[in-house]
Amino acid sequence: MPRADAIGRSVLRREGVGKLTGDAVYVDDLPAAGVWFGGTVRSTEPHARILDIKRDPSFPWGDVAVVTAADIPGENVVSLIEDDQPALAGATIRHAEEAVALVAGPDRELVERAVRAIVVETEARPAILDIDDALSSEIVLREPDNVFKRIDIGKGDAAAALQAADIVVEGEYTFGSQEHVYIEPQGMQAEWTDDGVVIRGSLQCPYYVVKGIARLLQVEPGEVRVVQHATGGGFGGKEEYPSMIAAHAALLARKVGRPVRIVYDRVEDMRATTKRHPGRVRHRTGLTEDGRIVAQDVDIVFDGGAYCTLSPVVLSRGAIHAAGPYDVENVRVLARTVATNLPPFGAFRGFGAPQTVFALEAHLDECASRVGMEPLELRRKNALRKNGVLAVGQNMGDDVSVVEVLDRAVEESRYRERRAEFEMWNAEAERAAPDAPPTFRRRGIGLALFHHGAGFTGSGEVVLASEAGLRGNPDGTVTVLSAQTEMGQGTRTILAQTAAEGLGVDPEMVMTEDPDTAVMPNSGPTVASRTSMVIGGLLIRAGRKLREKVEAAAGRALADEAGFREEVAKQAATGTLEVRVKFEPVPGVEWDDEQYRGDAYATYAWACYVTALEVDTLTGEVEVIDVTAVQEVGRVLNPVLAAGQIEGGVAQGLGWALLEDVVWEGGRMKNPTMTDYTVPTAMDTPPIRTIFLEHPHARAPHGAKGIGELPMDGPAPAVVN
């Protein structure tokens, strides 16, 4: 029989050597000969009417090219969920970093001077800069009530159950925005050819860019070719925004008749691009005297910024996760994303769930205090178990590991013992001798219990109809055909491993290439913790199908890998050897997009994180001592990469909890530098103990669930608790 050990082991990371040696080609490493560089003229006002765009007559305008909304050949829209965001502001400015004009020139210094030599004359309009002003509707940015998306989830009768509850606990939880701080800023290059426009750059979702700019450029989607190059991080920040910068590069390239490259510096990147949605969650929770949760009423408001972008789907995931992995008969979740005059908010790791998980898990500690229970015991009492039903009505059957991850995290972190030790430690600090110097340091330990849906919400995967495949090569190797992108998370390695598993060969026989829409089928976006589970599953099917095809043509079984490789080479040399497979809906999985009822996700990962920390009560300084992260993720495909995802996500979550603070002033980010916006370094990152529980997902050929977004959910509430 062919080998079947390609997954479950830590094979060498595919792109690692190139990044280590400097051979990896990022967009700013592309050949510069004949390339012009682009820059962006932006508004500095959050809401205004454009009166005029004036140029300094002393500048040599003949040396550069300028593009405004009047130069757009098609519709002035960057197409996404809604067609409300223009590529360039025409008459109205809706946020303080909105692009008004573009400049291209043969060198960057000249372009920077040209950008400064253009003045946008405006007439200011009243602006909405927070969610309460948006909800008041005194200023209407979006008809009729400034709401991009409204979601209402109901299970049982929450109002009646709250009225009958022994205890009702109310709480309000707010959270700020968060900057992605990917290592490589946004960058794209565009060039027009006889076949259309070729876009190259740093991005997560090649086919998003195709859709995003085809109408703007007045071309068919097939005339837009998108090639991803080495991408230095994304975290969701390079999901939808690259369509905007690609549009700008393409408009300039069309104007000057040569390639144009736009690469933001850090300040422009931080000010202009999307961030995590800030907002507020209000909880009203009804409990019995012995700690049984009988009702949850949750009110969620996210700030969507000036344009819709991905706010509806971010809100969707946040709302679905708002009630948590708990068995509660009566739940009501009302969720809204509203329009303001801040720069648009968009995708960020966790995609709405970190905000609502934070609110719920912080609130449950308050509930435990009110009923006189340990936070651990309150969660255990109410945890979802076998055949438990989530707030959206999804029966989890056997696919539920809430109590298991809770028990393992408590054991591995020594939660009970350390809680007692810290109480004693704090008591001794309080009882310091009168003649001794005061001690201001105190210790605490907190936990968060949560789940995260894998893949697109509801019918999303059916709508995507993702396609992936494999192609045999004359040298006997096999190449993966997929538009999934590598941005530091290990996509190339996982795709090679899953394809090899289906083929029954060593992963070294499988090649991976930069996604190119001229060659690669649309396998959907690299988002939503779907790559390993959904696309990895497709490649296993494709591998089995290709092996069957090769063996059928050979007329015999090819258990020996060398023989199989020889036969692949032989067949590929005489004709096309390729197979493609498409996503097939899972039987029995149903979702109602209108009612928000049914199977929200094919499966969930389950987790419990425990954080121990020390606080200086005089200065407010917080030092995280350690984090224990326990998660059940189906099957671990590559242990090293999986652990790296958890460690990176925990560090990012700790940054959001303790360090990172987007400061807004007049609708603009006031601290858009790495000096003023603080992210965790190695010195700030504590020991992280990562533990995986494996219960293979029955509906995937490799048993894998999503993993990349999960670790963002737990750190903030565990720290607060």
Side-chain angles (χ1 to χ4, degrees), residues 178 611 624 627 649-660 680 684-686 688 712 715-716 719:
Q178 186 180 19
T611 298
V624 180
V627 176
V650 167
Q652 204 164 34
L654 292 175
W656 188 46
L658 292 168
L659 297 175
E660 300 182 47
D684 304 298
T685 306
I688 302 168
M712 189 71 221
V719 163

Side-chain angles (χ1 to χ4, degrees), residues 95-109:
H95 67 88
E97 307 299 339
E98 189 145 24
V100 177
L102 306 168
V103 178
D107 68 77
R108 287 184 166 119
E109 190 275 335

Side-chain angles (χ1 to χ4, degrees), residues 499-519:
E501 183 78 5
L503 288 164
V505 300
D506 189 274
E508 289 299 314
M509 184 176 161
V510 180
M511 303 292 107
T512 54
E513 298 175 350
D514 287 333
D516 180 342
T517 59
V519 178

Side-chain angles (χ1 to χ4, degrees), residues 458-466 534 538 541 581-591 599 602 697 699-700:
S459 57
E461 292 294 348
V462 176
V463 172
L464 283 175
S466 298
V534 178
L538 289 181
R541 286 174 46 206
V581 295
K582 286 190 174 183
F583 176 82
E584 297 176 357
V586 179
V589 174
E590 297 182 356
W591 174 255
D599 301 312
H697 174 37
R699 291 171 173 167

Side-chain angles (χ1 to χ4, degrees), residues 443-585:
R443 289 179 180 173
I445 188 165
L447 59 80
L449 183 63
F450 56 101
H451 65 326
H452 199 98
F456 262 47
T457 303
S459 57
E461 292 294 348
V462 176
V463 172
L464 283 175
S466 298
E467 184 178 13
L470 297 170
R471 181 186 66 232
N473 303 314
D475 64 355
T477 61
V478 175
T479 296
V480 170
L481 302 176
S482 164
Q484 302 308 114
T485 54
E486 173 66 63
M487 50 189 160
Q489 80 281 43
T491 290
R492 283 191 165 195
T493 309
I494 292 297
L495 296 186
Q497 286 185 260
T498 51
E501 183 78 5
L503 288 164
V505 300
D506 189 274
E508 289 299 314
M509 184 176 161
V510 180
M511 303 292 107
T512 54
E513 298 175 350
D514 287 333
D516 180 342
T517 59
V519 178
M520 306 297 185
N522 187 354
S523 54
T526 310
V527 300
S529 290
R530 65 185 298 272
T531 296
S532 293
M533 184 181 79
V534 178
I535 309 307
L538 289 181
L539 290 176
I540 287 179
R541 286 174 46 206
R544 293 169 180 169
K545 192 173 179 180
L546 185 66
R547 173 170 278 277
E548 290 173 3
K549 184 174 183 177
V550 170
E551 290 184 336
R556 68 184 192 283
L558 299 164
D560 177 66
E561 186 168 315
F564 179 71
R565 181 166 183 158
E566 184 178 332
E567 191 63 33
V568 167
K570 176 181 169 184
Q571 294 181 29
T574 57
T576 301
L577 177 59
E578 183 175 308
V579 299
R580 296 192 180 191
V581 295
K582 286 190 174 183
F583 176 82
E584 297 176 357

Side-chain angles (χ1 to χ4, degrees), residues 54-90:
K54 291 189 173 181
R55 307 184 193 185
D56 183 344
S58 66
F59 185 84
W61 294 107
D63 296 342
V64 299
V66 178
V67 167
T68 66
D71 298 302
I72 294 173
E75 301 172 63
N76 186 7
V77 60
V78 179
S79 186
L80 196 60
I81 292 176
E82 293 190 12
D83 295 334
D84 65 334
Q85 186 171 18
L88 294 169

